[in-house]
Amino acid sequence: MSLAFYATHAPFSDPGDLAHVYADLPRDPAQLARIARDLLIHRVEGDLFGHTHPVDRLHNDAETRYIDDILRILVERNDAPLHRRREPQDRFVGTCRDFSLLHCSFLRHFGVPARIRIGFADYWGSNGFHGDHVVTEYWDEERGWLFADAQLADPFVTAHWKVDFDPMDVPRDRFVVAGEAWQAIRERGADEKTFGLHPPSEGPFWGERYVAGSIRLDLAALNRVETLLWDVWGEDEGKPGQPLPESSRDFYDRVAPVVCGEVSFEAAQQLFAEDDVLRTPRTVTCYAPFNGPSRVTLR
């Protein structure tokens, strides 16, 4: 049942009335990752590609929650078939979430079980820091669930970051899902300062509080609710950088195992359905990095 669940669309990944633009796509997961890579550019990749993002795209593209809207933007900028590589000026200006969700949408379109996972990667040149990141987890008939990082699917990008593994098989000690990051901190003595959006010297978005928020996002994604990374709901998590209260730490001690390792589909669904703190409500608070906070009602 779980494979069938992840092989079909939910609102965030559904191309909707633009499904026809998928018609000429290949079915190979690696080729689909490369196509997703060639349609998008990350907000912080302007210098890497020798390109300056228009301010409106830098601020607004990555606030696009749903794949049909992302596709609409892409087609408006360049209506060539999706398998044709876009120049930077024609790409959607997104984040790691968008690379992974588009790849996930392609895979689900062809009946390949896929889901996005939220966690922390150590391969962005960060010298021991595990940076906030999103990858695709897809089902391989021979090996089971594998991590794929579509953002690395261009060899130029892979070489720039000196990545020494196959982007279609990211090692599980290089990308750590949020629940396992929590356990590393709480149970194995890992330094909480080495997990977050950026190191403590660059701002307050790190540590247990940040990892707890990523656990909520990852559980939602396991239920095919692939929100923006700055959509917030549930308990009052306080200000970034403030320690979590002990009751919250105990709570996430109980939640983390559900989203770790060989995830139990039934347990993840039950927890998401029954817990008001964890379940994504119809209306969330969006703390958009450029546009400021707002209340957003989801589809």
Side-chain angles (χ1 to χ4, degrees):
M1 179 178 177
S2 63
L3 292 182
F5 179 80
Y6 293 118
T8 55
H9 287 299
F12 287 88
S13 70
D14 193 341
D17 60 2
L18 287 172
H20 64 276
V21 302
Y22 288 8
D24 295 327
L25 294 177
R27 294 172 178 259
D28 176 66
Q31 290 179 289
L32 292 172
R34 179 60 193 267
I35 290 168
R37 169 69 262 191
D38 288 346
L39 293 170
L40 275 59
I41 184 170
H42 198 285
R43 279 176 166 175
V44 302
E45 288 182 333
D47 288 345
L48 179 62
F49 283 84
H51 175 70
T52 300
H53 301 311
V55 172
D56 63 325
R57 297 184 184 185
L58 179 66
H59 288 193
N60 298 321
D61 276 17
E63 306 310 320
T64 309
R65 283 176 174 74
Y66 301 97
I67 283 296
D68 60 343
D69 290 331
I70 291 176
L71 292 170
R72 199 164 287 111
I73 290 170
L74 283 167
V75 171
E76 286 174 356
R77 290 177 187 168
N78 186 329
D79 63 0
L82 294 188
H83 64 266
R84 293 186 186 173
R85 184 176 188 268
R86 296 326 195 242
E87 293 301 319
Q89 65 268 19
D90 290 336
R91 298 189 187 194
F92 178 91
V93 182
T95 70
C96 54
R97 176 258 187 191
D98 304 311
F99 287 95
S100 296
L101 184 59
L102 184 58
H103 186 212
C104 183
S105 178
F106 289 163
L107 292 166
R108 288 175 180 172
H109 180 76
F110 292 114
V112 178
R115 56 202 187 189
I116 71 169
R117 300 300 305 272
I118 289 82
F120 302 88
D122 72 352
Y123 44 81
W124 299 109
S126 47
N127 297 320
F129 186 76
H130 299 79
D132 170 65
H133 196 45
V134 181
V135 301
T136 309
E137 191 171 35
Y138 70 104
W139 182 258
D140 179 88
E141 290 293 341
E142 294 183 357
R143 299 180 56 200
W145 289 107
L146 301 178
F147 288 146
D149 192 335
Q151 195 175 334
L152 293 175
D154 182 344
F156 167 70
V157 178
T158 305
H160 174 79
W161 292 107
K162 299 180 173 60
V163 168
D164 59 358
F165 53 79
D166 180 357
M168 294 302 297
D169 186 11
V170 179
R172 290 179 179 264
D173 61 346
R174 306 299 305 275
F175 174 82
V176 181
V177 295
E180 291 173 1
W182 179 266
Q183 291 181 328
I185 294 168
R186 292 281 285 161
E187 300 174 11
R188 299 191 289 278
D191 185 352
E192 67 170 328
K193 295 184 179 65
T194 64
F195 294 89
L197 180 62
H198 42 56
S201 61
E202 299 177 22
F205 299 103
W206 55 269
E208 286 184 356
R209 184 177 294 281
Y210 194 90
V211 175
S214 297
I215 288 174
R216 289 203 307 278
L217 291 170
D218 192 42
L219 178 64
L222 286 167
N223 284 272
R224 297 187 313 186
V225 179
E226 297 105 348
T227 66
L228 298 182
L229 300 180
W230 37 86
D231 286 341
V232 175
W233 64 89
E235 66 180 345
D236 178 12
E237 290 296 321
K239 294 182 179 179
Q242 288 184 341
L244 279 173
E246 195 60 34
S247 59
S248 293
R249 300 173 87 205
D250 292 341
F251 175 74
Y252 288 106
D253 283 346
R254 297 191 297 272
V255 174
V258 178
V259 294
C260 289
E262 296 292 330
V263 174
S264 165
F265 173 67
E266 292 77 14
Q269 282 209 316
Q270 181 177 352
L271 183 62
F272 191 66
E274 295 179 356
D275 194 290
D276 291 339
V277 171
L278 299 170
R279 184 176 59 255
T280 311
R282 183 76 189 280
T283 300
V284 299
T285 300
C286 176
Y287 289 94
F290 293 104
N291 297 327
S294 63
R295 296 282 287 168
V296 176
T297 298
L298 305 176
R299 288 182 186 172

